[in-house]
Amino acid sequence: MDRPSRFLVALVLCLSATLAHAAAPRIGLVLSGGGARGMAHIGVLKVLEEMHIPIHAITATSMGSIVGGAYASGMSVADMEQRVTHTDWKDLFTDEPPRAERPMRRKLDDRRPLLNGQLGYGARGFQLPKGLLNGQKLGFYLRDLISNAENIESFDKLPIPFRAIATNLETGDMKVFDHGDLALAMRASMSVPSAFAPVDIDGHLYVDGGLVRNLPIDVVRQMGVDVVIAVNLGTPLLKREELGSVLGVTAQMIGILTEANVKTSLGEVDPHRDVLILPELGDITAADFDKAAASIAIGEAAARKVAAQLRRFSVPPAEYAAWSDARLTRNPQVARIDEVRIDGLHRVNPIVAEEVLTPKGRPLTRAQLEQRANQLYGSGDYERIDYRVRSENGHEVAIVDAVEKAWGPNYLRFGLGLSAEAEGTASYGLRGSWLSTWVNPLGAEWKTDVQLGSTMLLESSFYQPLQAGGGGFVEPYLSLSRRPLSLYDGDRHVSTYNVNESRLGIDLGYTAGQSFELRAGPYIGQTKADVDVGTTVFPDIEVKDRGLRSVIGWDDVDSLDFPHDGQRATLTVQRSLGVLGADLDYTKVSASWLGATTFQRYTLLGRGLYGDSFGEDQGLFFDDFTLGGFLRLSGYPSERFRGNRFAFGSLVAYRQLDTELAGMPLYLGGSLETGKVWSDDAIPLDTGGTHSSASLFFGADTLLGPTYLGFGISEEGDTNVYFMLGRPW
């Protein structure tokens, strides 16, 4: 080949290389934050895949980091869409594990409903939690989304290089996560202040990256891309009427800060080479996760709107297929975990945590580890529990990050109970509960409850496990109370007595698993009853009580607010012994059972109660069993029937309505109830008999607790109307 020919060939090759480079630039994708509005990013990805546009780098913030991180780690768009449209977001954004997985001791707290919020007390005095949510369930959800990248430390080694943006809460600086725990980085990037607790990574606290860079175009350019496709969701500000709470004002401040930095980032868009996609999400808010499908469709429409600009980035089908196959290459996920190690414990005895997390001599599946982690979280000692899996010498090791509550180890909670009925009395109670945890290395707890209102109550107990992580315990307790007692003669209310009771006792007990408890022990007590209003049916009386009490309990009900599944049963035997100094010698037995099952939105709940007193003596009137009141023969007033033996059964059905009120589930239901009370011959009143009732009620699962508005009618035509804030079972 002569010299001119060689020159022409070289020139053609150079031009071909230059054209090839121009035809296939390195493309960077930028996904902004926006909460639930971020689902629109999935719609954009669907169009990019349809147009055969490969992505070479991704930077993202907040919800954008969830979508971007999942895509960068190798998750298909179809799987992502399926996942987000079928996720129970309301459940995901709650920290409480399923009630069935909580320890029996924590379930016993349901006896008196308390608000979910806690005020903590520790070395720094009183403290509030760092956010409304700690993101316990969210952490596992994110880890499952990016399971394909489980053992990848550098984000440059993901199928698509990726960066997650967060804000350093201590300095206010932008943090670009380019290595480490991908799920934790995504979690930090979306930690909206006050809504989510900050995430501690390497000794620094991080929150939502939208505060400093909601559209991180500059970051993706630093990753060596030639062009940028940026998706800006926008942050619509709240209206004046939406600014009536601390959360509303906080959200507005975040929105203002976010929009300010987005304006700067939009100035970095080059209209000649970059593409800006603007999904028109309208009134879809950052909290509208139930509108995921609509958001995806809007994102898809927005991408198609700029299809003419995007088309220049398309590559031939064979080239795109090769890129896509490389992105979707699946790394085998660790299925069996050989060892579990626990990091981060300071107050909690590691032996106790290991007892829950590590079965002796047996490997765990990932699902089993997460279930056990939820059980450990249910103890109430932790801010969050997460894990990561590492391979060491052929063994798969799960390193569990157990972050203890920073606002503990003492907790103060409050609650409110109200009950009013048209044909009976009204009652109310303001409750406070103080819990001191980890009083000693075995996990001792000191709990004190106070109630002010119609019933005055002071209860205090010291729960002492007999060994770390074991089921045996000893629990001394003290109870002081003053309560009103109503007496009826037929349908006529004749008097109200004040009953003052005190009891001191100690139980020796054992818990097995999460649902069973057995306890028994001696007690001493004293009761004084005197008439307050009405006829003196019984003379004022004061009696001493000494004896033994045993309780067997089972509880795996999913909720005591509005149960949907599970059973709860209790058997109590109390023996008052004259030989120990009691004024009366008798045995009192009481049993209760509740079971629930649900078909779609319809729940059927059965309930049974039984009680009997027998022996040389019998209990006095203030210790009788009673029926009457909401869902205890709803057509009659509370305590309408009383006696030394009773039996009761009911069938309750309710449906969760399709609509909610301010995020609170609503229910409509009814009941059929029947019961019999055997009157004590010593009571000169008409208080017994067999009776039936039915009810209709409307219920709401509110922030203050379950609330009911009900109507009851008896077989005799008696009616009653109820309002209740609290649990009727």
Side-chain angles (χ1 to χ4, degrees):
M1 182 179 297
D2 56 20
R3 187 173 181 178
S5 299
R6 287 197 300 271
F7 174 77
L8 288 173
V9 170
L11 181 61
V12 168
L13 292 174
C14 288
L15 287 173
S16 298
T18 301
L19 290 173
H21 177 75
R26 284 179 51 80
I27 303 168
L29 179 64
V30 180
L31 304 178
S32 76
R37 296 162 66 91
M39 304 298 181
H41 293 315
I42 299 174
V44 172
L45 290 174
K46 289 175 68 175
V47 175
L48 296 181
E49 289 201 341
E50 180 184 306
M51 297 183 68
H52 293 171
I53 298 174
I55 301 299
H56 303 91
I58 299 175
T59 60
T61 299
S62 196
M63 192 64 193
S65 73
I66 308 304
V67 176
Y71 192 71
S73 68
M75 190 176 201
S76 73
V77 175
D79 286 347
M80 204 183 309
E81 182 175 18
Q82 171 74 11
R83 185 73 61 87
V84 301
T85 54
H86 289 80
T87 292
D88 184 347
W89 292 97
K90 184 175 181 179
D91 177 69
L92 190 67
F93 290 140
T94 58
D95 286 329
E96 287 294 330
R99 185 176 180 276
E101 295 179 2
R102 291 164 55 192
M104 193 67 171
R105 181 158 177 79
R106 295 284 82 88
K107 293 176 184 178
L108 293 177
D109 293 341
D110 292 341
R111 291 174 298 178
R112 295 185 179 86
L114 296 165
L115 302 180
N116 287 329
Q118 285 182 334
L119 180 63
Y121 183 82
R124 300 180 181 178
F126 283 103
Q127 286 184 290
L128 288 170
K130 301 177 202 173
L132 292 177
L133 295 173
N134 295 317
Q136 172 64 18
K137 294 180 182 178
L138 179 63
F140 290 162
Y141 182 81
L142 296 179
R143 201 159 293 284
D144 187 53
L145 281 182
I146 54 91
S147 59
N148 192 48
E150 187 165 57
N151 290 311
I152 297 177
E153 176 72 16
S154 171
F155 297 173
D156 284 332
K157 294 183 179 180
L158 294 170
I160 302 175
F162 175 73
R163 301 289 185 269
I165 310 301
T167 303
N168 186 315
L169 189 58
E170 302 161 58
T171 65
D173 296 332
M174 176 176 69
K175 171 64 177 180
V176 179
F177 285 104
D178 59 4
H179 69 281
D181 188 327
L182 177 57
L184 201 57
M186 293 158 61
R187 167 73 178 80
S189 181
M190 68 165 295
S191 293
V192 179
S194 76
F196 286 97
V199 176
D200 189 332
I201 300 178
D202 297 332
H204 297 283
L205 293 177
Y206 296 101
V207 294
D208 196 294
L211 296 175
V212 290
R213 197 78 87 254
N214 200 46
L215 192 66
I217 293 174
D218 57 334
V219 178
V220 81
R221 290 205 194 281
Q222 294 169 12
M223 297 176 73
V225 300
D226 301 309
V227 296
V228 172
I229 299 174
V231 186
N232 182 31
L233 303 173
T235 309
L237 298 180
L238 300 177
K239 299 176 183 178
R240 181 184 177 89
E241 56 268 23
E242 298 173 299
L243 300 177
S245 68
V246 172
L247 287 178
V249 172
T250 302
Q252 189 81 323
M253 292 172 60
I254 294 171
I256 292 170
L257 291 172
T258 298
E259 282 304 290
N261 70 67
V262 166
K263 287 180 181 178
T264 301
S265 296
L266 289 175
E268 299 168 355
V269 175
D270 185 340
H272 301 294
R273 57 174 178 163
D274 301 330
V275 178
L276 180 63
I277 300 176
L278 303 170
E280 298 175 1
L281 290 158
D283 60 356
I284 295 179
T285 72
D288 287 334
F289 287 91
D290 58 335
K291 298 180 180 179
S295 297
I296 292 172
I298 291 172
E300 190 173 346
R304 296 193 189 284
K305 193 173 182 179
V306 294
Q309 300 176 57
L310 293 171
R311 193 164 289 114
R312 67 181 185 270
F313 303 138
S314 298
V315 299
E319 183 179 340
Y320 185 81
W323 173 87
S324 180
D325 288 344
R327 186 186 76 83
L328 295 173
T329 299
R330 303 303 298 173
N331 294 318
Q333 187 179 20
V334 174
R336 191 185 76 168
I337 295 170
D338 301 301
E339 181 184 350
V340 177
R341 297 176 190 163
I342 305 173
D343 286 345
L345 297 181
H346 303 285
R347 292 192 300 266
V348 176
N349 189 332
I351 296 175
V352 176
E354 290 168 1
E355 186 73 23
V356 177
L357 289 176
T358 58
K360 295 178 175 60
R362 299 197 312 271
L364 287 171
T365 65
R366 185 181 298 267
Q368 289 171 333
L369 176 62
E370 292 185 3
Q371 181 184 22
R372 288 171 176 266
N374 275 332
Q375 290 177 5
L376 186 62
Y377 182 81
S379 68
D381 297 314
Y382 303 92
E383 197 169 311
R384 65 176 173 82
I385 297 177
D386 201 358
Y387 72 95
R388 57 194 187 279
V389 179
R390 296 289 181 266
S391 296
E392 296 182 4
N393 301 320
H395 279 65
E396 304 300 338
V397 179
I399 303 171
V400 176
D401 298 311
V403 181
E404 297 171 345
K405 286 181 176 177
W407 58 94
N410 307 298
Y411 309 100
L412 180 61
R413 296 175 64 188
F414 296 97
L416 178 66
L418 296 171
S419 178
E421 51 189 272
E423 299 300 324
T425 59
S427 63
Y428 65 95
L430 177 64
R431 305 182 180 103
S433 179
W434 176 271
L435 176 64
S436 295
T437 64
W438 289 99
V439 178
N440 57 41
L442 293 181
E445 296 182 352
W446 181 21
K447 189 173 189 294
T448 299
D449 291 330
V450 176
Q451 178 173 305
L452 304 176
S454 305
T455 295
M456 308 291 282
L457 177 70
L458 170 64
E459 289 184 335
S460 189
S461 64
F462 191 86
Y463 174 82
Q464 177 62 66
L466 298 179
Q467 64 182 60
F473 66 88
V474 61
E475 184 171 14
Y477 61 90
L478 168 70
S479 174
L480 304 172
S481 67
R482 178 183 176 89
R483 61 182 172 89
L485 181 151
S486 294
L487 289 178
Y488 286 83
D489 187 4
D491 293 330
R492 185 171 61 93
H493 180 269
V494 294
S495 58
T496 299
Y497 276 69
N498 288 321
V499 180
N500 296 276
E501 296 174 295
S502 61
R503 177 171 288 193
L504 179 67
I506 183 168
D507 285 339
L508 181 65
Y510 182 80
T511 58
Q514 307 301 110
S515 301
F516 177 80
E517 181 182 276
L518 168 65
R519 61 170 64 212
Y523 69 89
I524 60 174
Q526 183 167 304
T527 302
K528 179 180 179 181
D530 55 71
V531 67
D532 181 39
V533 177
T535 305
T536 303
V537 180
F538 302 99
D540 295 351
I541 189 170
E542 183 172 350
V543 296
K544 292 183 297 183
D545 192 10
R546 309 285 189 271
L548 301 172
R549 185 194 67 158
S550 61
V551 182
I552 301 175
W554 173 272
D555 187 349
D556 66 358
V557 173
D558 62 342
S559 169
L560 283 188
D561 293 344
F562 290 91
H564 292 87
D565 184 64
Q567 299 186 72
R568 183 184 188 186
T570 304
L571 174 64
T572 303
V573 179
Q574 177 181 316
R575 182 75 172 97
S576 182
L577 294 168
V579 70
L580 296 181
D583 291 336
L584 301 174
D585 201 316
Y586 71 100
T587 300
K588 183 178 181 180
V589 177
S590 60
S592 67
W593 171 82
L594 179 149
T597 186
T598 297
F599 309 92
Q600 297 181 344
R601 286 181 174 263
Y602 295 91
T603 296
L604 195 62
L605 186 147
R607 188 181 180 207
L609 304 172
Y610 177 78
D612 197 358
S613 295
F614 51 88
E616 182 178 336
D617 300 307
Q618 291 187 349
L620 296 174
F621 70 98
F622 54 74
D623 203 28
D624 279 338
F625 302 103
T626 66
L627 284 177
F630 184 52
L631 299 182
R632 287 179 65 97
L633 293 182
S634 300
Y636 300 96
S638 297
E639 298 187 304
R640 164 63 179 81
F641 307 103
R642 94 175 28 252
N644 59 3
R645 184 155 59 103
F646 88 131
F648 172 81
S650 68
L651 193 61
V652 182
Y654 49 84
R655 183 187 189 278
Q656 184 175 347
L657 302 181
D658 296 328
T659 58
E660 294 185 346
L661 178 63
M664 298 181 295
L666 303 177
Y667 298 86
L668 188 64
S671 68
L672 297 175
E673 310 149 26
T674 186
K676 181 175 182 178
V677 174
W678 287 263
S679 296
D680 188 339
D681 293 337
I683 298 181
L685 302 172
D686 177 14
T687 63
T690 302
H691 301 275
S692 299
S693 288
S695 76
L696 292 174
F697 62 83
F698 173 79
D701 197 356
T702 73
L703 295 176
L704 295 176
T707 303
Y708 299 87
L709 180 62
F711 170 79
I713 184 170
S714 73
E715 84 281 5
E716 299 171 343
D718 298 314
T719 60
N720 210 346
V721 177
Y722 299 90
F723 172 78
M724 173 179 282
L725 173 60
R727 299 184 176 97
W729 27 69

